[in-house]
Amino acid sequence: MAFLKVVPLEKALEVINSFQLEPKIESVPLSEALGRVLAEDVASPVDVPPFDRATVDGYAVRAEDTFMAGESEPVRLKVVGEINAGDTPTVELEPGESVYISTGAPLPGGADAVIQFEDVDREGEEVIIYKPAYPGLGVMKAGADIPKGKVLLKRGTRLTFKDTALLSAVGFSEVKVFRKPRVAVISTGNELVLPGEELKPGQIYDINGRAIADAVRELGGEAVFLGIARDNRESLKALIEKGIECCDIVLLSGGASGGIRDLTSSIIEELGEVKIHGIAIQPGKPTIIGLINGKPVFGLPGYPTSCLTNFTLLVAPLLRRLLGRESEVRKVRKKLAHKVFSVKGRRQFLPVRVEGEKAVPILKGSGAVTSFVDADGFIEVPENIEILEAGEEVGVTFFG
Ligand code: AMP
Ligand code: MG
Protein backbone atom coordinates (compact mmCIF):
# COMPACT_ATOMS: atom_id res chain seq x y z
CA MET A 1 0.00 0.00 0.00
CA ALA A 2 1.43 3.39 -0.99
CA PHE A 3 2.13 5.80 1.86
CA LEU A 4 1.67 8.77 -0.45
CA LYS A 5 3.05 10.93 2.27
CA VAL A 6 6.36 12.59 2.67
CA VAL A 7 8.73 10.89 5.13
CA PRO A 8 12.06 12.02 6.58
CA LEU A 9 15.24 10.81 4.87
CA GLU A 10 16.04 8.64 7.90
CA LYS A 11 12.77 6.76 7.48
CA ALA A 12 13.57 6.14 3.80
CA LEU A 13 17.01 4.81 4.75
CA GLU A 14 15.44 2.58 7.38
CA VAL A 15 13.10 1.10 4.79
CA ILE A 16 16.02 0.52 2.40
CA ASN A 17 18.02 -1.03 5.20
CA SER A 18 15.22 -3.46 5.97
CA PHE A 19 15.26 -4.90 2.43
CA GLN A 20 16.17 -8.56 2.70
CA LEU A 21 19.08 -8.54 0.31
CA GLU A 22 22.12 -10.52 1.30
CA PRO A 23 25.57 -10.00 -0.16
CA LYS A 24 26.46 -12.98 -2.35
CA ILE A 25 29.95 -14.37 -2.64
CA GLU A 26 31.73 -15.91 -5.62
CA SER A 27 35.23 -17.08 -6.48
CA VAL A 28 36.99 -15.38 -9.38
CA PRO A 29 40.37 -16.03 -10.99
CA LEU A 30 42.97 -13.51 -9.82
CA SER A 31 43.19 -12.26 -13.41
CA GLU A 32 39.62 -11.00 -13.07
CA ALA A 33 39.80 -9.77 -9.49
CA LEU A 34 40.90 -6.19 -10.20
CA GLY A 35 38.24 -3.74 -8.97
CA ARG A 36 36.28 -6.45 -7.18
CA VAL A 37 35.54 -6.33 -3.45
CA LEU A 38 37.05 -8.98 -1.18
CA ALA A 39 34.48 -11.08 0.66
CA GLU A 40 36.87 -12.34 3.34
CA ASP A 41 40.07 -11.41 5.09
CA VAL A 42 43.06 -12.84 3.25
CA ALA A 43 46.03 -14.17 5.20
CA SER A 44 49.27 -15.28 3.61
CA PRO A 45 49.45 -19.08 3.28
CA VAL A 46 53.24 -18.89 2.82
CA ASP A 47 56.37 -17.11 3.95
CA VAL A 48 57.70 -14.51 1.52
CA PRO A 49 60.44 -15.05 0.66
CA PRO A 50 59.90 -18.77 1.20
CA PHE A 51 63.59 -19.27 2.05
CA ASP A 52 66.56 -17.22 3.28
CA ARG A 53 67.51 -15.40 0.10
CA ALA A 54 70.56 -13.51 -1.19
CA THR A 55 69.78 -9.84 -1.86
CA VAL A 56 73.06 -9.21 -3.74
CA ASP A 57 75.39 -11.06 -6.12
CA GLY A 58 78.43 -12.21 -4.19
CA TYR A 59 79.67 -14.86 -1.78
CA ALA A 60 77.63 -16.71 0.80
CA VAL A 61 79.71 -17.14 3.94
CA ARG A 62 79.56 -18.08 7.61
CA ALA A 63 79.86 -14.59 9.08
CA GLU A 64 82.04 -15.86 11.95
CA ASP A 65 84.69 -16.94 9.42
CA THR A 66 85.14 -13.28 8.43
CA PHE A 67 85.26 -11.65 11.85
CA MET A 68 89.07 -11.35 11.73
CA ALA A 69 89.13 -9.84 8.22
CA GLY A 70 90.87 -6.47 7.73
CA GLU A 71 92.35 -4.38 4.90
CA SER A 72 95.90 -5.49 5.70
CA GLU A 73 95.02 -9.01 6.85
CA PRO A 74 92.26 -10.28 4.58
CA VAL A 75 90.59 -13.62 5.14
CA ARG A 76 90.71 -16.21 2.39
CA LEU A 77 87.80 -18.64 1.99
CA LYS A 78 87.56 -21.57 -0.39
CA VAL A 79 84.85 -21.24 -3.03
CA VAL A 80 83.13 -24.63 -3.10
CA GLY A 81 80.31 -24.01 -5.51
CA GLU A 82 77.83 -21.69 -7.16
CA ILE A 83 74.11 -21.17 -6.53
CA ASN A 84 71.83 -19.31 -8.92
CA ALA A 85 68.23 -18.13 -8.52
CA GLY A 86 65.94 -21.12 -8.86
CA ASP A 87 68.61 -23.62 -7.73
CA THR A 88 68.16 -25.89 -4.76
CA PRO A 89 71.38 -25.68 -2.75
CA THR A 90 73.03 -29.04 -2.13
CA VAL A 91 76.18 -27.81 -0.36
CA GLU A 92 76.48 -27.25 3.38
CA LEU A 93 79.19 -24.73 4.23
CA GLU A 94 82.00 -26.02 6.42
CA PRO A 95 84.25 -23.59 8.29
CA GLY A 96 86.52 -21.75 5.84
CA GLU A 97 84.20 -22.27 2.87
CA SER A 98 82.04 -20.01 0.74
CA VAL A 99 79.79 -20.29 -2.29
CA TYR A 100 79.27 -17.90 -5.18
CA ILE A 101 75.61 -16.87 -5.06
CA SER A 102 73.39 -14.68 -7.23
CA THR A 103 70.62 -12.32 -6.16
CA GLY A 104 67.41 -14.17 -5.33
CA ALA A 105 69.11 -17.54 -4.80
CA PRO A 106 68.54 -19.53 -1.59
CA LEU A 107 71.38 -19.50 0.93
CA PRO A 108 73.23 -22.80 1.36
CA GLY A 109 73.11 -24.50 4.75
CA GLY A 110 75.56 -23.04 7.23
CA ALA A 111 75.72 -19.63 5.52
CA ASP A 112 74.29 -16.57 7.26
CA ALA A 113 75.68 -13.68 5.20
CA VAL A 114 76.34 -12.66 1.60
CA ILE A 115 79.21 -10.30 0.77
CA GLN A 116 78.72 -8.50 -2.51
CA PHE A 117 81.28 -9.31 -5.16
CA GLU A 118 82.37 -5.67 -5.51
CA ASP A 119 83.79 -5.84 -1.96
CA VAL A 120 86.00 -8.89 -2.46
CA ASP A 121 88.70 -10.24 -4.75
CA ARG A 122 88.72 -13.62 -6.36
CA GLU A 123 91.86 -15.64 -6.92
CA GLY A 124 91.27 -19.03 -8.51
CA GLU A 125 89.24 -21.10 -6.08
CA GLU A 126 89.61 -18.54 -3.28
CA VAL A 127 87.71 -15.41 -2.36
CA ILE A 128 89.62 -12.67 -0.50
CA ILE A 129 87.61 -10.77 2.11
CA TYR A 130 88.83 -7.44 3.56
CA LYS A 131 86.01 -6.57 5.92
CA PRO A 132 84.02 -8.63 8.45
CA ALA A 133 80.49 -9.61 7.50
CA TYR A 134 77.75 -9.80 10.11
CA PRO A 135 74.96 -12.39 10.25
CA GLY A 136 72.13 -11.20 8.02
CA LEU A 137 74.30 -9.06 5.72
CA GLY A 138 73.01 -9.39 2.13
CA VAL A 139 70.25 -11.76 3.23
CA MET A 140 66.50 -11.53 3.38
CA LYS A 141 65.27 -14.07 5.91
CA ALA A 142 62.36 -16.38 5.09
CA GLY A 143 59.12 -14.57 5.95
CA ALA A 144 60.87 -11.22 6.49
CA ASP A 145 58.84 -9.66 3.69
CA ILE A 146 55.51 -11.35 4.48
CA PRO A 147 55.30 -13.89 7.31
CA LYS A 148 53.00 -16.87 6.84
CA GLY A 149 49.61 -16.25 8.47
CA LYS A 150 49.77 -12.46 8.29
CA VAL A 151 46.46 -10.85 7.33
CA LEU A 152 47.24 -8.99 4.12
CA LEU A 153 43.88 -7.66 3.00
CA LYS A 154 40.60 -7.11 4.79
CA ARG A 155 37.10 -8.08 3.73
CA GLY A 156 35.54 -5.13 1.95
CA THR A 157 38.75 -4.05 0.20
CA ARG A 158 38.26 -2.96 -3.39
CA LEU A 159 41.18 -4.66 -5.10
CA THR A 160 43.73 -2.44 -6.82
CA PHE A 161 46.66 -3.61 -8.94
CA LYS A 162 48.82 -3.45 -5.82
CA ASP A 163 46.45 -5.79 -4.03
CA THR A 164 46.35 -8.27 -6.92
CA ALA A 165 50.17 -8.12 -7.02
CA LEU A 166 50.26 -8.89 -3.29
CA LEU A 167 47.88 -11.80 -3.81
CA SER A 168 50.15 -13.22 -6.53
CA ALA A 169 53.16 -12.79 -4.26
CA VAL A 170 51.59 -15.27 -1.85
CA GLY A 171 50.35 -17.60 -4.56
CA PHE A 172 46.59 -17.05 -4.86
CA SER A 173 45.12 -17.92 -8.25
CA GLU A 174 41.54 -17.30 -7.09
CA VAL A 175 39.89 -15.03 -4.56
CA LYS A 176 36.48 -14.83 -2.94
CA VAL A 177 34.72 -11.60 -3.80
CA PHE A 178 31.23 -10.21 -3.44
CA ARG A 179 29.08 -10.92 -6.44
CA LYS A 180 28.41 -7.68 -8.29
CA PRO A 181 24.85 -6.54 -7.67
CA ARG A 182 23.08 -6.27 -11.03
CA VAL A 183 21.34 -2.96 -11.39
CA ALA A 184 18.86 -2.13 -14.14
CA VAL A 185 19.00 1.51 -15.23
CA ILE A 186 16.03 3.08 -17.00
CA SER A 187 15.71 6.68 -18.18
CA THR A 188 12.22 8.07 -18.70
CA GLY A 189 10.91 10.89 -20.82
CA ASN A 190 9.44 11.60 -24.24
CA GLU A 191 12.08 14.31 -24.75
CA LEU A 192 15.10 12.04 -24.38
CA VAL A 193 17.28 10.61 -27.11
CA LEU A 194 20.42 8.53 -26.79
CA PRO A 195 23.78 10.15 -27.54
CA GLY A 196 24.69 9.47 -31.14
CA GLU A 197 21.15 9.94 -32.35
CA GLU A 198 19.83 13.03 -34.08
CA LEU A 199 18.39 15.73 -31.80
CA LYS A 200 15.00 16.89 -33.06
CA PRO A 201 13.36 20.09 -31.82
CA GLY A 202 12.43 19.84 -28.16
CA GLN A 203 14.67 16.87 -27.52
CA ILE A 204 17.71 16.50 -25.24
CA TYR A 205 20.29 13.82 -24.79
CA ASP A 206 19.88 11.27 -22.02
CA ILE A 207 22.40 12.01 -19.27
CA ASN A 208 21.09 10.01 -16.32
CA GLY A 209 21.32 6.68 -18.10
CA ARG A 210 25.09 7.08 -18.44
CA ALA A 211 25.57 8.87 -15.10
CA ILE A 212 23.72 6.30 -13.03
CA ALA A 213 25.04 3.26 -14.87
CA ASP A 214 28.61 4.46 -14.43
CA ALA A 215 28.06 5.50 -10.79
CA VAL A 216 26.88 1.92 -10.20
CA ARG A 217 29.99 0.59 -11.93
CA GLU A 218 32.27 2.88 -9.96
CA LEU A 219 30.80 1.51 -6.77
CA GLY A 220 31.56 -2.02 -7.96
CA GLY A 221 28.14 -3.06 -9.26
CA GLU A 222 27.11 -4.25 -12.68
CA ALA A 223 24.84 -1.87 -14.55
CA VAL A 224 22.41 -2.98 -17.23
CA PHE A 225 21.12 0.03 -19.13
CA LEU A 226 17.69 -0.87 -20.46
CA GLY A 227 17.15 2.31 -22.47
CA ILE A 228 14.57 5.06 -22.42
CA ALA A 229 11.00 4.47 -21.34
CA ARG A 230 8.47 6.84 -22.87
CA ASP A 231 5.97 8.61 -20.66
CA ASN A 232 3.22 6.04 -21.10
CA ARG A 233 2.08 3.05 -19.16
CA GLU A 234 3.03 0.33 -21.68
CA SER A 235 6.56 1.56 -22.24
CA LEU A 236 7.31 2.08 -18.53
CA LYS A 237 5.78 -1.19 -17.46
CA ALA A 238 7.65 -3.17 -20.10
CA LEU A 239 11.02 -1.81 -19.01
CA ILE A 240 10.35 -2.16 -15.29
CA GLU A 241 9.34 -5.79 -15.83
CA LYS A 242 12.46 -6.35 -17.88
CA GLY A 243 14.54 -4.84 -15.06
CA ILE A 244 12.94 -7.06 -12.43
CA GLU A 245 13.63 -10.08 -14.61
CA CYS A 246 17.30 -9.38 -15.25
CA CYS A 247 18.49 -7.57 -12.17
CA ASP A 248 18.61 -7.30 -8.38
CA ILE A 249 17.70 -3.61 -8.26
CA VAL A 250 15.85 -1.32 -10.69
CA LEU A 251 16.60 2.41 -10.97
CA LEU A 252 14.39 4.81 -12.88
CA SER A 253 15.04 8.50 -13.33
CA GLY A 254 12.70 11.27 -14.36
CA GLY A 255 8.95 11.40 -14.40
CA ALA A 256 8.70 13.64 -11.37
CA SER A 257 6.27 16.07 -12.88
CA GLY A 258 2.91 16.16 -14.61
CA GLY A 259 1.40 13.10 -13.04
CA ILE A 260 3.87 10.82 -14.80
CA ARG A 261 5.29 10.00 -11.41
CA ASP A 262 1.96 8.61 -10.36
CA LEU A 263 2.16 6.42 -13.42
CA THR A 264 5.45 4.94 -12.21
CA SER A 265 4.12 4.52 -8.74
CA SER A 266 0.90 2.88 -9.95
CA ILE A 267 2.89 0.44 -12.08
CA ILE A 268 5.09 -0.45 -9.11
CA GLU A 269 1.95 -0.86 -7.02
CA GLU A 270 0.47 -3.13 -9.67
CA LEU A 271 3.60 -5.28 -9.94
CA GLY A 272 4.61 -5.10 -6.29
CA GLU A 273 4.44 -2.55 -3.52
CA VAL A 274 5.26 1.13 -3.13
CA LYS A 275 7.03 1.57 0.20
CA ILE A 276 7.73 5.27 0.03
CA HIS A 277 6.43 8.01 -2.20
CA GLY A 278 7.92 11.29 -1.11
CA ILE A 279 10.95 12.19 1.00
CA ALA A 280 11.33 15.46 2.89
CA ILE A 281 14.46 16.57 1.08
CA GLN A 282 15.27 18.92 -1.72
CA PRO A 283 15.97 17.86 -4.38
CA GLY A 284 14.28 14.51 -4.39
CA LYS A 285 10.94 15.06 -2.76
CA PRO A 286 8.91 12.97 -5.23
CA THR A 287 11.30 10.03 -4.99
CA ILE A 288 9.70 6.57 -5.01
CA ILE A 289 10.98 3.47 -3.28
CA GLY A 290 9.20 0.19 -3.93
CA LEU A 291 9.61 -3.57 -3.96
CA ILE A 292 8.70 -5.95 -6.76
CA ASN A 293 9.33 -9.68 -6.22
CA GLY A 294 11.54 -8.72 -3.29
CA LYS A 295 13.65 -6.48 -5.53
CA PRO A 296 14.06 -2.77 -4.73
CA VAL A 297 12.84 -0.28 -7.32
CA PHE A 298 13.82 3.38 -7.07
CA GLY A 299 12.28 6.31 -8.89
CA LEU A 300 14.89 9.08 -8.84
CA PRO A 301 14.52 12.73 -9.89
CA GLY A 302 15.06 13.73 -13.53
CA TYR A 303 17.53 16.59 -13.23
CA PRO A 304 20.98 15.02 -13.40
CA THR A 305 22.37 16.76 -10.30
CA SER A 306 19.27 15.84 -8.29
CA CYS A 307 19.32 12.33 -9.68
CA LEU A 308 22.94 11.77 -8.67
CA THR A 309 22.42 13.35 -5.24
CA ASN A 310 19.54 11.00 -4.50
CA PHE A 311 21.40 8.06 -5.95
CA THR A 312 24.22 8.85 -3.51
CA LEU A 313 21.88 9.31 -0.55
CA LEU A 314 19.63 6.30 -1.12
CA VAL A 315 21.02 3.78 -3.58
CA ALA A 316 24.76 3.93 -2.91
CA PRO A 317 24.39 2.75 0.73
CA LEU A 318 22.40 -0.27 -0.47
CA LEU A 319 25.02 -1.11 -3.09
CA ARG A 320 27.78 -0.73 -0.51
CA ARG A 321 25.94 -3.12 1.79
CA LEU A 322 25.70 -5.68 -1.01
CA LEU A 323 29.41 -5.25 -1.63
CA GLY A 324 30.49 -5.47 2.00
CA ARG A 325 31.76 -1.89 1.85
CA GLU A 326 29.47 -0.27 4.45
CA SER A 327 32.32 1.07 6.48
CA GLU A 328 33.57 3.29 3.70
CA VAL A 329 32.92 6.94 4.33
CA ARG A 330 32.91 9.28 1.40
CA LYS A 331 32.52 12.40 3.49
CA VAL A 332 35.06 15.12 4.27
CA ARG A 333 34.94 18.29 6.38
CA LYS A 334 35.57 21.50 4.43
CA LYS A 335 35.03 25.20 4.88
CA LEU A 336 32.29 26.86 2.88
CA ALA A 337 33.82 29.21 0.27
CA HIS A 338 30.90 31.62 0.27
CA LYS A 339 27.58 32.30 1.87
CA VAL A 340 24.55 30.28 0.75
CA PHE A 341 20.87 30.76 1.35
CA SER A 342 18.37 28.01 1.88
CA VAL A 343 14.67 27.91 2.58
CA LYS A 344 13.62 27.51 6.16
CA GLY A 345 11.78 24.27 6.77
CA ARG A 346 13.46 22.57 3.84
CA ARG A 347 16.25 20.07 4.17
CA GLN A 348 18.42 20.88 1.22
CA PHE A 349 21.33 19.22 -0.51
CA LEU A 350 23.52 21.64 -2.46
CA PRO A 351 26.13 20.63 -5.03
CA VAL A 352 29.69 21.77 -4.21
CA ARG A 353 33.12 21.54 -5.73
CA VAL A 354 36.04 20.74 -3.44
CA GLU A 355 39.06 23.06 -3.82
CA GLY A 356 41.73 22.31 -1.26
CA GLU A 357 40.17 22.97 2.13
CA LYS A 358 37.20 24.80 0.63
CA ALA A 359 33.76 23.64 -0.47
CA VAL A 360 32.64 25.89 -3.30
CA PRO A 361 28.84 25.90 -3.76
CA ILE A 362 27.64 25.52 -7.34
CA LEU A 363 24.72 27.82 -7.73
CA LYS A 364 23.68 27.23 -11.30
CA GLY A 365 20.49 25.47 -10.28
CA SER A 366 19.75 21.80 -10.50
CA GLY A 367 18.64 22.09 -14.13
CA ALA A 368 22.10 22.93 -15.43
CA VAL A 369 24.11 20.00 -16.72
CA THR A 370 27.32 21.77 -15.84
CA SER A 371 26.27 22.12 -12.21
CA PHE A 372 26.54 18.36 -11.98
CA VAL A 373 29.75 18.16 -13.95
CA ASP A 374 31.40 20.91 -11.87
CA ALA A 375 30.36 19.37 -8.57
CA ASP A 376 32.31 16.74 -6.66
CA GLY A 377 29.52 16.10 -4.21
CA PHE A 378 27.04 17.93 -2.03
CA ILE A 379 26.52 19.46 1.40
CA GLU A 380 23.44 19.27 3.56
CA VAL A 381 21.65 22.37 4.75
CA PRO A 382 19.39 21.31 7.65
CA GLU A 383 15.76 22.38 7.82
CA ASN A 384 16.22 24.96 10.55
CA ILE A 385 19.03 26.77 8.72
CA GLU A 386 18.38 29.62 6.31
CA ILE A 387 21.90 30.91 5.84
CA LEU A 388 25.26 29.19 5.91
CA GLU A 389 28.05 31.75 6.28
CA ALA A 390 31.32 31.72 4.34
CA GLY A 391 33.98 29.89 6.35
CA GLU A 392 31.49 27.67 8.15
CA GLU A 393 32.48 24.03 8.41
CA VAL A 394 30.41 21.69 6.26
CA GLY A 395 30.43 17.95 5.55
CA VAL A 396 30.87 17.17 1.86
CA THR A 397 29.50 13.85 0.62
CA PHE A 398 31.11 12.80 -2.65
CA PHE A 399 28.87 11.59 -5.44
CA GLY A 400 28.60 7.87 -5.97
P1 AMP B 1 11.00 14.92 -14.98
O1 AMP B 1 11.16 14.54 -13.55
O2 AMP B 1 10.85 13.74 -15.88
O3 AMP B 1 9.95 15.93 -15.17
O4 AMP B 1 12.39 15.60 -15.38
C1 AMP B 1 12.87 16.79 -14.81
C2 AMP B 1 13.86 17.42 -15.73
O5 AMP B 1 14.98 16.55 -15.85
C3 AMP B 1 13.36 17.66 -17.13
O6 AMP B 1 13.90 18.88 -17.60
C4 AMP B 1 13.91 16.50 -17.91
O7 AMP B 1 14.08 16.77 -19.27
C5 AMP B 1 15.22 16.27 -17.22
N1 AMP B 1 15.61 14.88 -17.35
C6 AMP B 1 14.86 13.83 -17.01
N2 AMP B 1 15.50 12.67 -17.28
C7 AMP B 1 16.69 13.04 -17.84
C8 AMP B 1 17.80 12.31 -18.33
N3 AMP B 1 17.81 10.98 -18.32
N4 AMP B 1 18.85 13.00 -18.82
C9 AMP B 1 18.84 14.35 -18.83
N5 AMP B 1 17.84 15.09 -18.36
C10 AMP B 1 16.76 14.45 -17.88
MG1 MG C 1 10.21 13.26 -17.64
Side-chain angles (χ1 to χ4, degrees), residues 11-210:
K11 172 69 187 166
L13 290 172
E14 222 172 83
V15 166
I16 294 165
N17 224 345
S18 73
F19 289 154
Q20 300 289 312
L21 296 176
E22 290 310 318
K24 296 196 182 101
I25 293 171
E26 64 184 2
S27 264
V28 294
L30 192 62
S31 56
E32 274 152 45
L34 182 72
R36 302 297 298 271
V37 181
L38 267 187
E40 57 183 14
D41 290 356
V42 174
S44 178
V46 292
D47 272 334
V48 179
F51 45 83
D52 293 355
R53 182 168 75 178
T55 60
V56 291
D57 289 336
Y59 292 85
V61 300
R62 295 153 36 98
E64 61 183 289
D65 287 354
T66 69
F67 286 167
M68 304 306 287
E71 282 295 332
S72 51
E73 281 175 87
V75 162
R76 287 172 175 262
L77 299 178
K78 191 171 171 215
V79 181
V80 297
E82 178 174 329
I83 305 171
N84 289 301
D87 288 352
T88 308
T90 49
V91 285
E92 174 87 25
L93 288 194
E94 298 294 337
E97 291 182 345
S98 74
V99 154
Y100 181 80
I101 192 165
S102 41
T103 304
L107 252 62
D112 58 3
V114 177
I115 306 174
Q116 57 182 6
F117 72 88
E118 293 92 336
D119 295 343
V120 301
D121 282 321
R122 174 87 183 246
E123 263 179 31
E125 291 310 291
E126 280 187 340
V127 58
I128 307 167
I129 297 162
Y130 301 94
K131 221 169 73 178
Y134 54 87
L137 173 73
V139 177
M140 186 182 272
K141 296 287 274 181
D145 198 355
I146 304 167
K148 183 173 173 175
K150 183 182 176 183
V151 173
L152 300 175
L153 295 166
K154 291 288 215 181
R155 174 192 149 101
T157 304
R158 180 106 187 250
L159 297 171
T160 66
F161 74 89
K162 291 189 202 174
D163 300 323
T164 55
L166 188 57
L167 290 165
S168 347
V170 298
F172 283 104
S173 60
E174 279 193 354
V175 279
K176 289 217 168 86
V177 296
F178 288 108
R179 217 204 69 187
K180 290 183 179 189
R182 277 168 72 88
V183 182
V185 178
I186 301 167
S187 298
T188 74
N190 288 338
E191 77 282 23
L192 300 180
V193 295
L194 290 174
E197 288 174 9
E198 192 195 339
L199 268 192
K200 302 223 175 69
Q203 294 183 325
I204 60 167
Y205 288 122
D206 170 30
I207 299 167
N208 297 342
R210 181 83 282 124

Side-chain angles (χ1 to χ4, degrees), residues 159-394:
L159 297 171
T160 66
F161 74 89
K162 291 189 202 174
D163 300 323
T164 55
L166 188 57
L167 290 165
S168 347
V170 298
F172 283 104
S173 60
E174 279 193 354
V175 279
K176 289 217 168 86
V177 296
F178 288 108
R179 217 204 69 187
K180 290 183 179 189
R182 277 168 72 88
V183 182
V185 178
I186 301 167
S187 298
T188 74
N190 288 338
E191 77 282 23
L192 300 180
V193 295
L194 290 174
E197 288 174 9
E198 192 195 339
L199 268 192
K200 302 223 175 69
Q203 294 183 325
I204 60 167
Y205 288 122
D206 170 30
I207 299 167
N208 297 342
R210 181 83 282 124
I212 293 301
D214 286 349
V216 166
R217 290 197 183 103
E218 265 197 26
L219 278 165
E222 185 182 333
V224 182
F225 179 60
L226 296 182
I228 299 165
R230 299 307 170 192
D231 293 324
N232 65 69
R233 199 172 179 86
E234 296 65 42
S235 177
L236 261 172
K237 190 175 169 190
L239 284 192
I240 293 174
E241 281 179 321
K242 204 167 160 187
I244 291 296
E245 216 174 277
C246 75
C247 293
D248 307 309
I249 297 171
V250 178
L251 305 180
L252 298 123
S253 66
S257 53
I260 298 302
R261 178 89 333 187
D262 295 333
L263 198 55
T264 306
S265 111
S266 90
I267 292 168
I268 295 175
E269 195 64 54
E270 182 193 323
L271 300 173
E273 188 187 350
V274 172
K275 293 282 190 187
I276 280 175
H277 191 173
I279 304 177
I281 53 173
Q282 206 218 358
K285 192 169 164 201
T287 293
I288 299 174
I289 304 170
L291 267 187
I292 301 174
N293 295 350
K295 298 180 179 182
V297 182
F298 292 82
L300 301 168
Y303 279 139
T305 311
S306 314
C307 181
L308 215 63
T309 302
N310 282 264
F311 171 87
T312 303
L313 287 172
L314 303 167
V315 185
L318 178 62
L319 289 179
R320 284 204 195 91
R321 164 150 72 97
L322 291 177
L323 283 161
R325 304 172 75 196
E326 295 105 318
S327 55
E328 265 172 52
V329 193
R330 295 269 295 148
K331 204 166 180 173
V332 294
R333 313 282 319 165
K334 296 285 166 192
K335 293 216 178 333
L336 202 59
H338 50 78
K339 196 178 202 171
V340 293
F341 297 91
S342 179
V343 179
K344 193 155 186 180
R346 212 179 267 171
R347 185 172 179 184
Q348 236 184 329
F349 293 88
L350 291 180
V352 296
R353 181 174 67 240
V354 170
E355 277 180 13
E357 284 315 299
K358 292 223 161 93
V360 185
I362 312 239
L363 301 171
K364 287 179 183 167
S366 46
V369 172
T370 46
S371 82
F372 133 79
V373 174
D374 288 348
D376 295 306
F378 52 85
I379 60 168
E380 179 176 345
V381 189
E383 282 174 41
N384 55 341
I385 302 274
E386 261 173 293
I387 297 172
L388 279 179
E389 296 290 347
E392 232 174 282
E393 191 165 280
V394 289

